[in-house]
Amino acid sequence: MAYNLLPWDREQGYLMPPSVRDWLAEGDLAWFILDAVEQMELGEFYAIYRNDGWGAAAYDPGMMVAVLLYAYCQGLRSSRRIARALERDVSFRVVAANQQPDFRTICRFRAEHQEALERLFVQVLRLCREAGLVKLGAVALDGTKVAANGALAANRTYDTIEEEVRRILAEAKVVDEEEDVCYGPERRGDELPEGLGRRTDRLKRLEEAKARLEWEALEAARASQEKLVQRQAEEAVAGKKKRGRKPKAVEPTVSGDAKANTTDPDSRVMQTRQGYVQGYNVQAVVSEDQIILAVGVTQEANDVQQLKPMLQTLQRTLEAAGIEERPRVVLADAGYWSEANVSRCQRDQLDLPELFLATTKDWKQRKAARERGCPRGRIPKDLSQRERMERKLLTKRGRTLYK
């Protein structure tokens, strides 16, 4: 039995109303702006254009003036936001007669006609004030007092209107300059990232993300199987089962919760104190006088696997810089602690005499220092790696260094 569903097709062509006058209600502000522009003398705007038919065609200054007036009445100062509205907002498309000048054209037009726009804006704002469209007050002709849709503070003198016009145009100029720096002189700022603009490119990115998730699932399954085999071999040698929870086998299938970013495929979801971000885990080794000695970037969200790689990077950096001196102490927070890390560094004989790695969070360290005090006497021989590190951090020297 077929489902009784409404048909849909994104490729279906539609015929828009034959006249833009059918797109907006008759009382819309856009029609007021257009009627007002028709009553204005715009010869000053046309003066800079050729009238011999030569050269590339330009957008009609009358249309551009109407677009800017309407945009500024709506509180839009940014040329980029105006260009975006010309694509998406029906009222802007009506004002522009369905034309879509880009943000650079809008910005140039404003800059080239700065003084003319100032003079024109004063006329428009006065017209709007008289028509009661700028919330500057209203007057009733009978004896009843009627509250206006505006406050007393919204009244403007002629000089004030001129000053406000200059402020609006100056603000528009500053916004455009700031966005040029932020996005680049030829970019609007809301474009899709590179590689996602065309449908074929988007599909390619999605396929790559899907393949990457499948590869990661296979790698996780392979690593899990290796751990199981290694555990079985160790149990066979020891003749008894190892303590602790037995690792579970990982299936080589992609979990439905697995994520892959199609904009920046190498980035990962990282947890920070302010919440989750899409990014990277950046590592740094810093000297006592705040000089960065080594840096690194990883996709792994936690720090525990980064101790040895960063110490090796530090050694290579010092050698490359011709620095013979080596650090005597390495300090790191609890994110880097594991007994395996300490054993690995000792086994590989990294040129680091002492590690001071916090084994717990900072507040737990302070609590232990208050309750247990500074340890005295010889170090007991039967302490584990963790207990030795905790004891060392509680000593006067350890607390001074770690602080």
Side-chain angles (χ1 to χ4, degrees):
M1 180 180 294
Y3 292 105
N4 184 20
L5 303 175
L6 292 173
W8 62 277
D9 182 5
R10 290 194 182 92
E11 306 302 326
Q12 171 68 45
Y14 292 93
L15 292 176
M16 297 294 288
S19 171
V20 295
R21 292 203 166 271
D22 297 330
W23 294 5
L24 289 176
E26 185 177 358
D28 195 275
L29 175 64
W31 297 122
F32 174 83
I33 293 294
L34 293 174
D35 290 340
V37 171
E38 288 182 2
Q39 304 302 317
M40 297 173 186
E41 174 55 49
L42 301 179
E44 188 175 0
F45 291 89
Y46 286 88
I48 67 171
Y49 296 94
R50 300 176 61 136
N51 59 3
D52 54 7
W54 289 85
Y59 287 105
D60 191 290
M63 182 273 289
M64 296 294 291
V65 166
V67 167
L68 286 179
L69 293 180
Y70 183 68
Y72 295 159
C73 284
Q74 297 294 324
L76 291 182
R77 306 287 190 264
S78 164
S79 296
R80 287 172 171 81
R81 293 182 63 189
I82 296 172
R84 191 179 308 133
L86 287 170
E87 293 182 2
R88 301 183 176 186
D89 192 303
V90 172
S91 60
F92 273 88
R93 298 186 75 159
V94 169
V95 173
N98 217 22
Q99 295 183 325
Q100 295 175 356
D102 62 21
F103 74 91
R104 185 54 57 201
T105 301
I106 297 170
C107 184
R108 279 198 302 266
F109 185 86
R110 175 193 52 74
E112 291 171 356
H113 300 283
Q114 180 92 4
E115 295 181 0
L117 283 170
E118 287 185 12
R119 289 188 286 272
L120 190 65
F121 270 32
V122 173
Q123 298 178 46
V124 174
L125 289 176
R126 293 185 69 184
L127 284 172
C128 291
R129 183 190 64 180
E130 295 300 326
L133 292 177
V134 192
K135 298 184 179 180
L136 295 181
V139 177
L141 296 179
D142 63 10
T144 302
K145 302 299 187 293
V146 179
N149 188 18
L152 288 173
N155 288 283
R156 304 287 190 277
T157 64
Y158 183 82
D159 291 340
T160 303
I161 291 175
E162 282 190 322
E163 178 62 29
E164 189 167 342
V165 167
R166 285 193 290 270
R167 181 186 61 78
I168 289 174
L169 292 175
E171 184 180 337
K173 179 181 179 181
V174 170
V175 170
D176 282 339
E177 290 174 349
E178 290 176 349
E179 291 181 343
D180 281 347
V181 174
C182 182
Y183 303 122
E186 302 301 328
R187 291 180 63 83
R188 201 170 70 189
D190 64 339
E191 298 91 346
L192 287 172
E194 186 177 350
L196 296 181
R198 298 172 56 196
R199 184 170 183 269
T200 53
D201 294 335
R202 291 196 297 269
L203 290 177
K204 182 180 178 182
R205 282 286 187 95
L206 291 172
E207 289 171 357
E208 290 175 351
K210 182 171 178 283
R212 185 167 62 256
L213 289 176
E214 292 171 348
W215 178 83
E216 289 176 355
L218 288 173
E219 285 295 300
R222 181 188 60 77
S224 172
Q225 185 60 31
E226 288 181 355
K227 288 183 179 179
L228 286 172
V229 171
Q230 182 181 358
R231 182 185 178 94
Q232 291 171 357
E234 292 174 354
E235 289 176 345
V237 172
K240 60 179 181 180
K241 290 187 177 181
K242 295 186 68 174
R243 299 179 63 183
R245 183 178 298 175
K246 182 179 180 180
K248 294 182 179 180
V250 177
E251 295 295 328
T253 54
V254 181
S255 168
D257 297 330
K259 297 179 181 179
N261 192 280
T262 56
T263 303
D264 187 349
D266 294 328
S267 64
R268 296 292 184 271
V269 178
M270 302 284 171
Q271 186 177 10
T272 69
R273 293 182 180 179
Q274 289 74 36
Y276 289 91
V277 298
Q278 185 73 32
Y280 300 88
N281 184 358
V282 180
Q283 304 284 311
V285 180
V286 185
S287 66
E288 288 185 64
D289 50 357
Q290 300 300 303
I291 302 299
I292 297 175
L293 303 177
V295 294
V297 181
T298 178
Q299 297 172 325
E300 296 185 16
N302 58 57
D303 296 326
V304 70
Q305 300 298 327
Q306 308 310 313
L307 178 64
K308 180 182 174 183
M310 287 307 301
L311 296 182
Q312 292 173 331
T313 302
L314 172 63
Q315 289 186 349
R316 290 195 297 268
T317 304
L318 294 177
E319 291 172 0
I323 300 175
E324 297 181 358
E325 184 183 1
R326 293 293 181 266
R328 298 184 299 276
V329 171
V330 170
L331 306 163
D333 62 26
Y336 295 86
W337 165 258
S338 75
E339 293 194 4
N341 269 346
V342 177
S343 300
R344 192 179 301 116
C345 291
Q346 293 174 346
R347 183 181 66 246
D348 295 345
Q349 296 181 346
L350 291 175
D351 191 13
L352 296 170
E354 245 184 321
L355 292 175
F356 283 81
L357 307 182
T359 60
T360 59
K361 294 181 179 179
D362 187 57
W363 68 270
K364 291 184 177 181
Q365 285 183 253
R366 294 197 300 270
K367 180 181 178 183
R370 290 194 302 269
E371 294 176 350
R372 295 162 56 182
C374 182
R376 298 178 181 277
R378 294 185 177 181
I379 302 175
K381 295 181 179 180
D382 57 347
L383 294 183
S384 65
Q385 291 272 26
R386 184 188 187 94
E387 291 170 335
R388 285 177 177 270
M389 186 63 70
E390 290 174 347
R391 189 181 192 279
K392 185 163 63 171
L393 287 169
L394 288 174
T395 62
K396 183 177 180 179
R397 176 170 174 264
R399 282 187 289 181
T400 302
L401 286 170
Y402 193 80
K403 182 179 180 180

